[in-house]
Amino acid sequence: VKVFDVSEIESFELALKLPVLEDRPFKSVFASAINRYEELVANRGKNGIHTGLFSFDKDSGGLKKGQMTVISAETNGGKTSVAMNFVNAALTAGHGVALFTLEMDRDEICDMLMAMNCQVNRSHFNTGDFTEGEIKSMTVRGSWFSSLKLWIEDAPMMTAAIIRARTLQLVREKQIGLVVVDYIQFVSPE
């Protein structure tokens, strides 16, 4: 009869809690990858939400479900403009978007989207000096804008918990295909 010491018993108990090791652990990873490759080929060009940035979309296939893309640059480097291009491309493709912004308010978001989609000079939203063509373009596109599935959260104090709860609600209700957080460094962790 062998007597076991405490460390041997603890080691044995730990081994019982761990899953059994497979002989060929990569086999299931590889099989899953083959299925994924076949799906990529079958859905070539339709796998992600296209951003409107040709080089990015060509190399990445667009923004994919479950992935996180971080845009970083210096102050005034155009991060919000790039993010809004992503939002606009997703909306144009019919995807719902949740936009959490600590950078711009709802009115500024609306102005930016109108400028992008109606060929309106951005400064005209500050001065009211719209041309007749700009007014006509905004009027013609009005019903499209009214139908957009764009949820904007622009509260000055945004927490990670608020973002998570709202995102999960919209995902559960199958409302969105893209979540954008503009200026994540301003989000309070609690």
Side-chain angles (χ1 to χ4, degrees):
V1 172
K2 177 166 170 60
V3 176
F4 295 98
D5 65 25
V6 173
S7 65
E8 289 175 313
I9 293 172
E10 287 173 351
S11 178
F12 179 71
E13 286 174 343
L14 178 62
L16 291 175
K17 292 178 184 176
L18 295 173
V20 176
L21 294 175
E22 297 176 44
D23 284 344
R24 290 174 264 155
F26 195 68
K27 182 178 180 178
S28 63
V29 174
F30 178 71
S32 176
I34 293 299
N35 291 335
R36 189 168 39 88
Y37 302 153
E38 289 171 349
E39 186 175 322
L40 281 169
V41 170
N43 294 296
R44 189 173 300 165
K46 300 179 274 186
N47 293 306
I49 296 174
H50 290 272
T51 64
L53 302 174
F54 179 75
S55 295
F56 179 86
D57 291 338
K58 183 176 182 280
D59 292 341
S60 69
L63 304 171
K64 300 222 177 39
K65 184 178 180 178
Q67 289 184 337
M68 179 170 64
T69 301
V70 177
I71 302 168
S72 63
E74 294 180 13
T75 302
N76 293 322
K79 298 176 294 290
T80 296
S81 293
V82 169
M84 287 305 298
N85 274 296
F86 286 10
V87 168
N88 189 56
L91 291 169
T92 300
H95 299 283
V97 177
L99 173 60
F100 299 91
T101 176
L102 290 106
E103 179 70 1
M104 300 169 69
D105 65 25
R106 293 167 189 251
D107 291 340
E108 291 173 302
I109 301 285
C110 183
D111 295 351
M112 184 176 263
L113 287 171
M114 290 291 272
M116 294 169 88
N117 288 282
C118 299
Q119 290 72 48
V120 176
N121 183 317
R122 183 75 169 88
S123 66
H124 291 176
F125 291 99
N126 299 324
T127 65
D129 292 332
F130 299 110
T131 67
E132 285 185 37
E134 290 172 336
I135 291 171
K136 182 178 180 185
S137 180
M138 289 188 289
T139 303
V140 167
R141 299 282 291 176
S143 62
W144 180 75
F145 278 102
S146 295
S147 70
L148 293 178
K149 289 186 171 195
L150 175 59
W151 287 265
I152 302 171
E153 297 284 343
D154 62 352
M157 291 301 299
M158 189 83 59
T159 66
I162 290 170
I163 292 171
R164 183 176 191 276
R166 176 65 70 191
T167 299
L168 290 175
Q169 176 189 15
L170 291 166
V171 167
R172 199 171 32 253
E173 296 173 7
K174 298 182 181 355
Q175 295 290 331
I176 57 173
L178 179 66
V179 175
V180 174
V181 180
D182 190 13
Y183 267 121
I184 199 159
Q185 66 266 34
F186 292 153
V187 173
S188 172
E190 297 178 6

